[in-house]
Amino acid sequence: MLTRRSMLAGAMASAAAGLWALRQAFARSVGGHKAFIEQAFAMRRRAVSEGDQAYGAVVVKNGRVVGLGPSRVVTNTDATAHAEMEALRDAGRTLGTHDLSGCILYTTSPPCRMCETAAHWGNIERVYTGADIADRGKPGYGC
């Protein structure tokens, strides 16, 4: 016969096991995202080495980088050449479409309103930002 104490102990053990499984899944997902956020930071270093602003981004589809984006605002004298915009444009050229469904945007800092809106219209699935790999979710209207 199950006592209240044994039922409680079983429930606590089950909850602990579930929490452990969640932590393991998170660790695996962060590990997978780490390589891509590192590539975004490599784009940031490239932008700085070329005399531009310190921002970088990459677009990934099915585990493969399809868009690279160092900031080119200064070097191209183009106010819209943010790293995220450059990565989205490059992904569109690589994939031959404006529809970036199934793609993930990794960027060194949270996107501005223009870039988030562009990611929304490009159908980007998720946005991850910064060294802590913050999941910003599906992009929405930035305005």
Side-chain angles (χ1 to χ4, degrees), residues 2 7 11 18 24 27 29-30 44 55 70 77 79-80 84 89 92 106-107 114 116 132 134 142:
L2 288 176
M7 287 178 16
Q24 293 302 316
S29 71
V30 168
R44 178 184 179 191
Y55 299 102
T77 60
T80 68
E84 297 86 353
R89 290 171 181 148
Y106 294 88
T107 182
M114 173 185 70
E116 183 165 354
D132 61 347

Side-chain angles (χ1 to χ4, degrees), residues 29-77:
S29 71
V30 168
H33 297 303
K34 189 172 193 259
F36 298 125
I37 205 72
E38 286 173 358
Q39 289 182 322
F41 276 93
M43 290 292 99
R44 178 184 179 191
R45 289 187 296 276
R46 178 176 166 186
V48 170
S49 74
E50 294 173 354
D52 219 301
Q53 299 173 335
Y55 299 102
V58 297
V59 175
V60 174
K61 184 166 188 171
N62 298 327
R64 183 175 71 94
V65 174
V66 295
L68 298 173
S71 175
R72 292 190 175 122
V73 171
V74 175
T75 56
N76 286 0
T77 60

Side-chain angles (χ1 to χ4, degrees), residues 89-108:
R89 290 171 181 148
D90 191 41
R93 285 188 296 269
T94 299
L95 298 173
T97 181
H98 67 281
D99 184 1
L100 302 178
S101 294
C103 291
I104 299 172
L105 176 64
Y106 294 88
T107 182
T108 56

Side-chain angles (χ1 to χ4, degrees), residues 2-16:
L2 288 176
T3 66
R4 184 174 177 182
R5 179 175 281 172
S6 66
M7 287 178 16
L8 182 59
M12 289 177 66
S14 178

